[in-house]
Amino acid sequence: MTAVPPSAPPGVGEAERVARAALSRVFEPGDPRQTVLVAELGAEALCAHLLAEADLAGVRTDYGARLAATDGAQELERAARRGIRFVVPGDPEWPPGLDDLYGVAPVQDRGGPPVGLWVRGPVGLHELAGGVAVVGSRSASEYGAAVAGDIAAEVAGAGLPVVSGAAFGIDRAAHVGAVNAEGRTAAVLACGVDRAYPREHARLLGHLVDHGAVVSEAAPGCAPQRIRFLARNRLIAALTGSTLVVEAALRSGALSTANWASRLQRTLLGVPGPVTSAPSAGVHQLIRSGAATLVTSGAEVLEAVGRPGEHLLEVPRAPERARDRLTARQRQVLDGLPVHGGARVDSIAVSAGMGVVEVRGSLDRLARAGLVERDATGWRLAAAGRD
Amino acid sequence: MTAVPPSAPPGVGEAERVARAALSRVFEPGDPRQTVLVAELGAEALCAHLLAEADLAGVRTDYGARLAATDGAQELERAARRGIRFVVPGDPEWPPGLDDLYGVAPVQDRGGPPVGLWVRGPVGLHELAGGVAVVGSRSASEYGAAVAGDIAAEVAGAGLPVVSGAAFGIDRAAHVGAVNAEGRTAAVLACGVDRAYPREHARLLGHLVDHGAVVSEAAPGCAPQRIRFLARNRLIAALTGSTLVVEAALRSGALSTANWASRLQRTLLGVPGPVTSAPSAGVHQLIRSGAATLVTSGAEVLEAVGRPGEHLLEVPRAPERARDRLTARQRQVLDGLPVHGGARVDSIAVSAGMGVVEVRGSLDRLARAGLVERDATGWRLAAAGRD
């Protein structure tokens, strides 16, 4: 998003962590100016600058005023008391994938890596890198929700974490699918990790706090706002190695996550649906344009996201049929029979381009295999021979 | 299919045409040995050889015996009396696309260009080159049949012929869609063009004889046989510039046509469907593997098959919303409002990172646009502002 290269991870000295906690309260999530300034100055120095800045009339700038009213150490302590940790670069839990956000231009003025992430729950952020983000419409169809749940269950059941946004529709189906498979799942929120949004998902979020992870760039207590949803989408894409879109209407938030995944060189997958279904239109566009690979099952997702040689998938085949067990010349005789009605041996021999004697022998064998039968009009295909 | 290059189109002298008509009766459709021999010797010389050949006991070979019993001139005359023409290379109506079959290896012993095609109906074979083959499952779902019919209607309505195989399911839906749009449509059969197979489609085929075209490599009177279906699929792919697969179970005949289309470097398109629907599994595999491009509408088919610049399609977009007409800074204010509940001007100013005075002015303008509203708790998003 900027020309600034990711410098060596800043030390996780307490002062830097405290400064970042304060900045997290002052800047909106995904404000790319913050990213640039922190990369150039470090969080401590940036805080000092902001606190010292005043306008011509000697009045503190907005940011300075807000920073003066914020106590980073207290933020961290209050969070810790509620089981919330603040993960910053250099922490063992910091996922290097977030630093990929340095290389990608902002969208709608949101971009860059976060100064830190607030996390609740036993699953570590670094575990999510091998996981799959499952995203899609809030107004999902029954079809979409069912497929999202099934795929999430298969992915989580295979040991890969499922990451989503805890919204209605596909997000919820993905989390629930992973929970039912007793796999790991994490929700990245647009509000503070201590808030349940949407309210209807309070129990689900409570479960993730106990067994998975709830993650946010916004400081605890922050309300969900549009700008925070936009910023959140980039984190879902950056935290995981692959993003799967299951139903996304044209211009939905899920497409913004997909766009981030593409730009971050993540694996992008899409589940197709009926072309008559509006919630599938966005996914079809992603597949048509070549941005996403079409997948139809959890097994195909695992194949796409696995390390080379892992989760290898056989190309689906129909079950073997009696026909498959014939020799080439027996098949030739079978193919010489008319589709409807019967035929005499000599006419079948002409069709098959073979001698009458050989054809007669083959017909007996085909009859024993149940593929042909004989009646008054001659030899005809049996039901099994039609397949 | 062979090392033999397509020689200059053989003359359409009457003797060559008569010889080809006779060969068409003697060889099974798509017998690649015939292709090689006709290319090397010409049809007249091949007939002479076959008639002269005898085995050690002086008995005529199979082919010689059958050829001796066949009168090519009479075949042509009898066909002509029934409105059936026999189109051979060099005829103005001969589609050069059929000669592409020289370059492609046989599949299941079927391959190579036909020695000629038997045709009934006013549409010329050469007209089909710019057309679209619409193929798919005989056991199509209602969804698949509806989509095939809609797309065929749009394609045929735009002036491009629709080619299919007159089978149940997708084939029928495609022909009927084209007929309803008063467009051109042609059926390529596995039996003689004078036979109605399946019987249930006798009326449809009668309509094509009067207004479209019915085409076959098999001589008039020939019954539908498995081997002829295999041979027929290659013709559907070769006669047209593009093949669209709408529903194809794994290992269906439609996939054999798709495979021919790929190998002939034709445009291959596929309509997705629910991943839970078996008839869509084959199409999903074609799209996944990159063999086919996903399409969701007739417009997308037309864009894919048109000449450059023709049938250009706008990327589908959701309709414009009130939000789109705002300035960047007005949008910034709008994004500063909480998703639920109200907020005071100063809190919105903090969220938006803007001054209170400017935010106050913007809120008034946003209220006039119906995007925000004010109540006792402060400013909140109106329904239109949530979109």
Side-chain angles (χ1 to χ4, degrees):
Chain A
M1 67 115 228
T2 115
V4 179
S7 40
V12 282
E14 205 46 32
E16 177 72 14
R17 186 188 306 276
V18 167
R20 285 179 177 251
L23 289 174
S24 159
R25 174 71 68 196
V26 168
F27 281 87
E28 273 301 317
D31 186 331
R33 296 170 301 179
Q34 175 184 226
T35 304
V36 178
L37 291 165
V38 170
E40 284 180 355
L41 308 173
E44 271 189 85
L46 174 57
C47 285
H49 271 93
L50 291 173
L51 285 167
E53 271 176 9
D55 70 12
L56 287 177
V59 177
R60 269 198 170 132
T61 62
D62 246 24
Y63 289 96
R66 280 145 72 190
L67 199 55
T70 305
D71 182 337
Q74 206 177 57
E75 295 275 348
L76 288 171
E77 192 204 323
R78 203 158 38 198
R81 274 203 309 268
R82 304 168 68 196
I84 302 170
R85 59 194 186 273
F86 184 58
V87 179
V88 300
D91 283 353
E93 196 183 334
W94 181 258
L98 288 176
D99 297 324
D100 295 345
L101 287 162
Y102 276 110
V104 179
V107 172
Q108 297 192 279
D109 280 330
R110 298 295 106 185
V115 288
L117 288 178
W118 302 90
V119 187
R120 278 175 102 180
V123 169
L125 282 187
H126 61 293
E127 299 177 44
L128 307 181
V132 179
V134 178
V135 300
S137 281
R138 274 170 301 173
S139 48
S141 72
E142 266 184 60
Y143 160 75
V147 173
D150 286 350
I151 291 183
E154 193 161 348
V155 166
L160 276 57
V162 167
V163 177
S164 195
F168 290 117
I170 299 298
D171 284 17
R172 178 189 172 79
H175 290 302
V176 170
V179 166
N180 288 343
E182 301 185 4
R184 289 169 294 170
T185 182
V188 185
L189 305 185
C191 57
V193 294
D194 55 340
R195 297 187 64 144
Y197 180 83
R199 251 177 321 212
E200 290 82 347
H201 291 177
R203 265 193 63 211
L204 173 63
L205 286 165
H207 185 92
L208 297 195
V209 164
D210 293 338
H211 302 283
V214 177
V215 181
S216 182
E217 184 176 9
C222 284
Q225 284 174 343
R226 168 187 286 270
I227 212 168
R228 294 177 184 152
F229 285 100
L230 295 175
R232 184 271 307 264
N233 294 338
R234 85 191 196 290
L235 297 181
I236 291 183
L239 282 167
T240 54
S242 321
T243 292
L244 170 67
V245 189
V246 187
E247 293 197 326
L250 298 172
R251 206 167 159 168
S252 68
L255 290 187
S256 119
T257 309
N259 183 33
W260 277 105
S262 279
R263 300 190 323 135
L264 287 163
Q265 320 280 330
R266 301 298 197 259
T267 300
L268 183 58
L269 306 171
V271 173
V275 298
T276 45
S277 165
S280 284
V283 187
H284 290 154
Q285 211 178 299
L286 289 176
I287 297 169
R288 254 173 78 64
S289 70
T293 300
L294 185 153
V295 289
T296 67
S297 66
E300 287 177 0
V301 172
L302 289 172
E303 188 197 40
V305 310
R307 286 181 293 276
E310 216 185 15
H311 308 302
L312 275 191
L313 187 66
E314 280 193 57
V315 172
R317 295 186 68 89
E320 199 196 41
R321 292 181 286 205
R323 190 180 158 75
D324 300 328
R325 290 185 292 270
L326 302 178
T327 67
R329 289 188 74 80
Q330 285 167 350
R331 244 189 324 253
Q332 205 170 327
V333 172
L334 190 66
D335 290 346
L337 271 83
V339 170
H340 283 303
R344 295 193 329 188
V345 171
D346 53 350
S347 129
I348 297 168
V350 169
S351 287
M354 291 164 65
V356 170
V357 174
E358 181 181 356
V359 166
R360 188 63 187 70
S362 292
L363 285 169
D364 281 338
R365 277 186 296 275
L366 292 170
R368 283 197 297 274
L371 296 170
V372 302
E373 51 202 23
R374 197 179 175 180
D375 66 13
T377 68
W379 294 90
R380 54 169 70 239
L381 288 171
R386 274 175 216 292
D387 274 347
Chain B
M1 67 114 226
T2 113
V4 179
S7 41
V12 281
E14 205 47 31
E16 178 72 14
R17 184 188 307 275
V18 166
R20 284 178 178 253
L23 290 174
S24 159
R25 173 71 66 194
V26 167
F27 281 87
E28 273 301 316
D31 186 331
R33 296 170 300 178
Q34 174 184 224
T35 303
V36 178
L37 290 167
V38 169
E40 284 180 356
L41 308 173
E44 269 189 85
L46 174 57
C47 285
H49 271 92
L50 291 173
L51 284 168
E53 270 175 11
D55 69 14
L56 287 178
V59 177
R60 269 199 170 132
T61 62
D62 245 25
Y63 287 97
R66 279 145 72 190
L67 198 56
T70 305
D71 181 337
Q74 205 177 58
E75 295 275 348
L76 288 172
E77 192 204 323
R78 204 159 35 198
R81 274 202 308 268
R82 304 168 67 195
I84 302 169
R85 59 193 186 273
F86 184 59
V87 180
V88 299
D91 284 353
E93 195 182 333
W94 181 259
L98 288 177
D99 296 324
D100 295 345
L101 287 163
Y102 276 109
V104 179
V107 172
Q108 296 192 278
D109 280 329
R110 299 294 105 186
V115 288
L117 288 178
W118 303 90
V119 187
R120 279 173 101 181
V123 168
L125 283 186
H126 61 291
E127 297 177 45
L128 307 181
V132 179
V134 178
V135 300
S137 281
R138 274 170 301 172
S139 47
S141 72
E142 265 184 61
Y143 160 74
V147 173
D150 286 350
I151 292 183
E154 194 161 346
V155 166
L160 276 59
V162 167
V163 177
S164 195
F168 291 116
I170 299 298
D171 284 18
R172 178 189 170 79
H175 290 302
V176 169
V179 166
N180 288 343
E182 302 185 2
R184 288 170 294 169
T185 182
V188 185
L189 306 185
C191 56
V193 294
D194 54 341
R195 296 185 65 142
Y197 180 82
R199 250 178 320 211
E200 290 82 346
H201 291 177
R203 264 193 64 211
L204 172 63
L205 287 164
H207 186 92
L208 297 196
V209 165
D210 292 338
H211 303 284
V214 177
V215 182
S216 182
E217 185 177 6
C222 284
Q225 285 173 343
R226 171 187 284 270
I227 212 169
R228 294 177 183 152
F229 284 101
L230 295 175
R232 184 270 308 265
N233 293 338
R234 87 192 196 288
L235 298 181
I236 291 182
L239 282 166
T240 54
S242 320
T243 292
L244 170 67
V245 189
V246 187
E247 293 198 326
L250 298 172
R251 206 166 159 170
S252 67
L255 291 186
S256 119
T257 310
N259 183 34
W260 278 105
S262 279
R263 300 191 322 135
L264 287 162
Q265 318 280 330
R266 303 298 197 256
T267 301
L268 183 59
L269 307 170
V271 173
V275 299
T276 45
S277 165
S280 284
V283 186
H284 290 154
Q285 210 178 299
L286 288 176
I287 298 169
R288 255 172 78 64
S289 70
T293 300
L294 185 153
V295 290
T296 68
S297 65
E300 287 177 0
V301 172
L302 289 172
E303 187 196 41
V305 309
R307 287 179 293 277
E310 215 186 14
H311 307 302
L312 275 191
L313 187 66
E314 281 193 56
V315 173
R317 294 187 68 88
E320 198 196 43
R321 294 181 285 207
R323 191 181 156 74
D324 301 327
R325 290 186 291 271
L326 301 178
T327 66
R329 290 186 74 80
Q330 285 167 351
R331 236 177 346 239
Q332 206 170 326
V333 173
L334 190 65
D335 290 344
L337 270 82
V339 169
H340 282 304
R344 293 192 332 187
V345 170
D346 53 351
S347 130
I348 297 170
V350 169
S351 286
M354 292 164 64
V356 172
V357 175
E358 181 181 356
V359 167
R360 189 62 188 69
S362 291
L363 286 169
D364 281 337
R365 277 187 295 276
L366 292 171
R368 283 198 297 274
L371 296 170
V372 303
E373 53 202 22
R374 197 178 174 179
D375 66 14
T377 68
W379 294 91
R380 54 169 70 238
L381 288 171
R386 272 175 218 291
D387 276 346

